[in-house]
Amino acid sequence: MPEYKLHYGPQHPGTHPFRILLTVDGDVVVTAEPHIGYVHRGIEKLCEYRSYIMNIPVINRACFMEGSFHEHAYAMAVEQIYGVEIPQRAKYLRVLAGELSRIHSLLSWFGGYVSELGFSTMYFWPWADREYILDLFEELTGARISTTYILPGGVRWDLPDGFEKRVEKVMKYLEGRLALYDKVVFKNEIFKARTKDVGVLKPSDVLKYGVTGPMARASGVKMDLRIDAPYSIYDEIEMDYNLLDGGDCYDRTKIRLMDIQQSIDIIRQVLKKLPGKEKVMKKLPIKAPVGEGYARIESARGIHAYYVVSNGDRNPYRVKIRGASFNNMSVLPLIAKNVKMADIPAILGSIDVCPADLDR
Amino acid sequence: MSYENDTVYQAVKAKFEDALEEIKEKPMLTFYIKYEHKDKLKEIAQVIADQIGTSYGETCSAVDYPDKQIFDVFWFIWSFDTRKMYAIRTRVPYSSPKVPSLVEIWPSLNWHERETHEMFGIEFEGHPNLAPLLLEDYEDIPQYPLRKSVTLEKRKTRHI
């Protein structure tokens, strides 16, 4: 049978808004070439036309699932330009928002991924659990998804009364649910058959393609910015690398569930060590001094980095965004080679691409 | 200057002192390479790569300065061994926007250089594939949209 080309997406239920050009020989995928850019909004250009603080709602939409991480990285880069140190309590609150964001991002990914593999019920369970996190966000920031909570100079609001207790209640509930997921998904023979030894990423290819985050750690590469180069208050948090060495879709799923457990532990430590009440926002002047800042952050998907250049005006001169999905996606042609057509959703899903930060 | 004692800086200085234009410490150790010596850029990158151990190219892009008629092209590198960021930069004139590609040394820069090419029109010599990436099928977007010569419509602010 001759080889032929097949467009997978952008309107396929199993893909996000991007297209994979597959060359198939019968049922075997010979090459897979990603074509991206369907949701390119030119955020980097838009940022040049807004002042530092007006950029926050734009940056937030660089990835709707984990806006807190983008805000945090951008805010840290801008603070480098201003040369300010923000209040300690604000740093803790940023980490709290970030880790809550990580849990909700990973839970929604998990639901979507397993449903692509045929577990229809498992689509709804994590998405329902995620609602509890969104409720916490609503209480903390007034919004569920686009929180615009972290600004250059601090965070917008302090914790509401009794918030810690409600967080602990949700964390306790989530821990129980993680045990349930383990039973339903990871011990399931069908799930194992679909994901074990599928789309294996070798540790040597991780650095070659710039893969970061859970995907790199599932291949056994010790890489976690929170430990390697602790930003904010991560040097005061006790944590260890989550590592697995399979590098297949199964391990990539498993490590993200381990990351949720780790985030729960971090949130507990943050609430325990939270410093006493103080002002959580330091007002910055509208015009920034001349300079540049570069900040990196470990998000739920990998390393996001922001490079901001100021020429002394009220708007940034240039904002460069490095989205984690960008490099993670570039590895697809390698791991989706010589696989069955039916494995493509399993491999594509396990990369955890956020098309919004892929295209920016 | 604290970078004087940095082994990476010393290794680069020993071999390529005349190619160095400027060293910056913030926000990371930055090597500005003179554009006249751009053919040495790859060798300098190789010296840095050998010095910093396990590393990967984190990102690459450019900043447009129309008043000086240059693009400030940068490559950001993260080292796992020294746990620091390094930057290689060069100021590329408008008249010939061409620089050597560093993909051979840090393959993870592949898509980043491709994006810089389509956003700024900078030619990366030796890059395996400079086909459009993000703007592939768009027809109504002007060429090289991140250049300062491309401007957005003025934002309309609604006053209440």
Side-chain angles (χ1 to χ4, degrees):
Chain A
M1 197 173 177
E3 286 182 2
Y4 59 97
K5 292 202 188 291
L6 188 67
H7 291 276
Y8 185 84
Q11 311 289 353
H12 187 277
T15 67
H16 295 288
F18 47 73
R19 173 166 59 97
I20 315 291
L21 181 55
L22 302 171
T23 312
V24 281
D25 180 4
D27 195 28
V28 179
V29 175
V30 183
T31 59
E33 192 191 328
H35 287 256
I36 62 174
Y38 286 86
V39 285
H40 176 64
R41 293 146 292 165
I43 287 184
E44 292 174 13
K45 189 86 182 170
L46 288 174
C47 286
E48 293 171 12
Y49 285 76
R50 283 156 177 78
S51 66
Y52 286 92
I53 204 145
M54 283 158 82
N55 274 334
I56 288 287
V58 183
I59 296 274
N60 194 293
R61 282 151 179 84
C63 180
F64 58 95
M65 278 296 177
E66 38 180 40
S68 297
F69 290 117
H70 285 270
E71 288 163 18
H72 195 170
Y74 170 78
M76 284 198 297
V78 172
E79 282 151 12
Q80 278 177 30
I81 296 174
Y82 277 96
V84 291
E85 188 67 26
I86 65 159
Q88 193 70 4
R89 188 174 169 90
K91 284 186 185 171
Y92 272 89
L93 294 183
R94 281 178 175 189
V95 168
L96 176 68
E99 296 299 332
L100 284 174
S101 191
R102 188 187 313 272
I103 296 177
H104 110 74
S105 172
L106 290 173
L107 278 178
S108 40
W109 167 81
F110 182 59
Y113 181 55
V114 289
S115 81
E116 277 167 30
L117 297 178
F119 293 70
S120 324
T121 312
M122 272 307 290
Y123 178 74
F124 295 102
W125 289 1
W127 278 70
D129 295 344
R130 166 181 171 264
E131 287 295 316
Y132 293 111
I133 304 279
L134 296 185
D135 286 347
L136 291 176
F137 265 125
E138 194 173 4
E139 198 181 339
L140 182 63
T141 70
R144 285 155 51 85
I145 305 277
S146 300
T147 49
T148 52
Y149 181 58
I150 299 166
L151 305 182
V155 293
R156 267 161 84 193
W157 292 290
D158 211 329
L159 296 182
D161 286 340
F163 189 73
E164 291 96 327
K165 267 189 197 156
R166 289 189 286 281
V167 172
E168 178 52 37
K169 210 173 151 192
V170 173
M171 293 304 125
K172 210 168 173 192
Y173 168 77
L174 280 179
E175 272 185 333
R177 298 293 281 184
L178 286 180
L180 178 72
Y181 297 158
D182 198 58
K183 215 162 98 188
V184 176
V185 174
F186 293 105
K187 295 198 169 68
N188 186 310
E189 287 304 322
I190 299 173
F191 183 76
K192 280 185 192 166
R194 291 292 309 269
T195 54
K196 278 249 175 196
D197 296 320
V198 173
V200 178
L201 177 64
K202 288 193 217 92
S204 57
D205 290 324
V206 167
L207 286 188
K208 218 168 137 189
Y209 284 83
V211 174
T212 50
M215 227 183 138
R217 277 181 270 125
S219 292
V221 177
K222 257 190 174 184
M223 177 198 255
D224 191 329
L225 215 53
R226 294 171 288 178
I227 303 168
D228 292 343
Y231 51 90
S232 201
I233 49 108
Y234 278 109
D235 47 349
E236 294 167 24
I237 301 284
E238 280 169 36
M239 59 183 290
D240 205 2
Y241 296 99
N242 274 341
L243 278 182
L244 291 173
D245 52 6
D248 52 8
C249 294
Y250 184 86
D251 279 4
R252 284 201 280 274
T253 316
K254 185 121 196 172
I255 202 138
R256 290 193 172 101
L257 272 279
M258 287 159 70
D259 274 10
I260 295 181
Q261 181 60 52
Q262 192 179 40
S263 283
I264 293 174
D265 296 344
I266 293 174
I267 287 172
R268 286 200 173 124
Q269 287 185 49
V270 165
L271 290 179
K272 214 168 158 192
K273 292 181 180 172
L274 198 64
K277 287 242 178 206
E278 58 176 326
K279 252 186 139 179
V280 290
M281 182 74 196
K282 207 180 218 175
K283 278 211 167 160
L284 303 178
I286 265 267
K287 281 192 179 179
V290 179
E292 51 189 14
Y294 188 71
R296 319 158 71 222
I297 202 162
E298 177 82 24
S299 77
R301 293 181 166 79
I303 292 175
H304 293 323
Y306 274 74
Y307 176 59
V308 183
V309 181
S310 160
N311 64 345
D313 208 350
R314 47 180 289 157
N315 299 354
Y317 189 73
R318 168 102 172 91
V319 178
K320 163 74 190 163
I321 307 170
R322 186 238 195 239
S325 303
F326 195 64
N327 275 80
N328 291 2
M329 184 67 172
S330 71
V331 83
L332 182 79
L334 184 83
I335 59 176
K337 209 185 242 174
N338 297 329
V339 295
K340 285 271 177 357
M341 186 62 208
D343 288 337
I344 291 290
I347 295 171
L348 198 55
S350 74
I351 297 177
D352 189 9
V353 175
C354 175
D357 91 60
L358 175 69
D359 292 347
R360 286 153 284 138
Chain B
M1 297 282 182
S2 59
Y3 64 80
E4 297 281 353
N5 299 325
D6 195 292
T7 50
V8 183
Y9 168 70
Q10 282 168 351
V12 175
K13 195 188 164 196
K15 258 185 162 175
F16 300 101
E17 196 178 3
D18 51 336
L20 286 180
E21 188 179 345
E22 194 186 341
I23 306 289
K24 269 192 191 171
E25 276 182 287
K26 274 184 179 173
M28 62 193 89
L29 187 58
T30 305
F31 297 93
Y32 266 103
I33 315 293
K34 284 179 190 157
Y35 186 70
E36 305 89 84
H37 294 273
K38 71 170 167 117
D39 43 329
K40 285 189 196 149
L41 203 122
K42 239 166 138 177
E43 293 169 49
I44 297 172
Q46 190 62 55
V47 169
I48 295 172
D50 294 342
Q51 284 290 323
I52 61 180
T54 317
S55 62
Y56 80 99
E58 188 154 282
T59 189
C60 153
S61 194
V63 188
D64 182 11
Y65 292 101
D67 46 337
K68 296 179 208 155
Q69 297 272 304
I70 53 162
F71 298 110
D72 189 341
V73 180
F74 56 82
W75 293 266
F76 290 164
I77 317 299
W78 164 252
S79 162
F80 286 86
D81 293 0
T82 64
R83 297 195 172 180
K84 274 185 197 156
M85 293 291 302
Y86 298 89
I88 302 168
R89 305 180 74 137
T90 181
R91 297 188 172 101
V92 182
Y94 270 23
S95 49
S96 73
K98 282 179 190 164
V99 283
S101 163
L102 298 186
V103 168
E104 271 175 40
I105 300 164
W106 293 291
S108 59
L109 291 169
N110 188 326
W111 276 20
H112 293 272
E113 288 189 356
R114 233 172 119 181
E115 190 195 333
T116 312
H117 170 71
E118 72 175 340
M119 294 295 179
F120 287 94
I122 292 159
E123 199 83 35
F124 287 91
E125 290 165 326
H127 190 282
N129 175 21
L130 279 179
L133 183 68
L134 291 174
L135 308 177
E136 193 188 354
D137 293 324
Y138 289 105
E139 281 157 10
D140 50 345
I141 291 184
Q143 207 181 18
Y144 312 137
L146 278 185
R147 283 190 182 180
K148 291 280 175 188
S149 55
V150 177
T151 50
L152 301 185
E153 272 179 48
K154 205 158 182 258
R155 255 169 62 80
K156 292 185 186 76
T157 312
R158 201 160 52 112
H159 296 281
I160 303 165

